[in-house]
Amino acid sequence: MKGSIVFKKGGLYYLDQTKLPLNETYKECTTLSQGYRAIKELKIRGAPLIGVFAAYCVYIGVKKFKGDKKVKFFNYFDKIINYLKDSRPTAVNLFWALQRIQTIVYANTAKNIDGLKKLILREAKMIHAEDIRLCSRMADNGVNLIKSGDRILTHCNTGFLATSGEGTALAVIYKAHRLYKNIRIYVDETRPLLQGARLSAWELIKKGVDVTLITDNMAAYLMQQKKVDKIFVGADRITSFGDLANKIGTYNLAVLAEHHKIPFYVVAPLTSFDLTLEEGKNIPIEERNASEVRTVLNKVQITPRKVKVYNPAFDITPHRYIRAIVTDKGIINPPFRENILRVARGEGRKGE
Ligand code: MRU
């Protein structure tokens, strides 16, 4: 199978990311609760992929509906949407995709139940196909920010495991790699769930990119030694002011980048923007189980069993630390407040 999620012959399959890099195991998602758990337990993860997968999960859920009472069907459908919304709170792509499915269903209430089920599947497939295209547009738009020989630091996983295409920040990096062949990537471990060490390192090696792994606490020293030319990260939610939520540890890098005068770039599709929020402090931040910090991958205990733990999965990077945001609709430069709204409305730059 190819791709982090695959829909074929009526079945939804996903590459179980909790098993990587040691095992490449595809699993079939046959029930709604399996889909919910796959998202919650990070078997599938990454903001855009969560949205695409959730859209398919709605279909997996409604497929099971029996009967011909439309009122009951709509009740059932709304419950599915609300259930999936509860799986993870931070990446806005989840809510965006579910809203899109809900809008299309309520715009077609005249259809019969079978027709509505087909409509949901068709919309999920469209969201999937569009996500692939968004990735290549981000790569095209961002590649000129990278020069031959650049040494780039990245965080978490933003590649083909986090999206339906080649990724967000990693898609830009893959494109630059195909162009120059000589760029070098530092990826940090991204404790506690090691998306950098397990997933990005695996992806980058597969793609033939020169990658060096560091632990999270090595980034400052690396920058002090002038070993980093640029930083590229993704985003789980970007507000209209340009503040963003991304994997815990992103803010550390942004502050360090500012101090060391290293450009800090964010790559995200417009589906990751939440224009209902202005300031980053209003983004809901997921807090995860203490066992993720007390153990390595819920397997090896590394702390006293009862130590208190604080485990926020994301942090907020204020827009003032960001040099530019690469989107599928072009690069957004400061001032973000006005430029984000202009790009979101589909308008060109002033004078264009
Ligand atoms: O908790 P995760 O692994 O889903 O977090 C993923 C990230 O933080 C990514 O950087 C983000 O989704 C943006 S790029 C796809």
Side-chain angles (χ1 to χ4, degrees), residues 42 45-48 50 88 156-158 162-163 168 195 234-236 246-247 314:
L42 273 62
R45 44 148 298 285
I50 293 172
R88 290 194 78 188
C156 193
N157 172 262
T158 62
T163 62
T168 57
Q195 287 93 331
D236 285 80
N246 193 47
K247 181 52 57 195
F314 299 93

Side-chain angles (χ1 to χ4, degrees), residues 180-194:
Y180 304 122
K181 300 284 176 222
N182 63 354
I183 59 166
R184 279 179 285 160
I185 307 302
Y186 289 102
V187 57
D188 61 18
E189 279 183 316
T190 320
R191 271 280 291 156
L193 295 182
L194 304 173

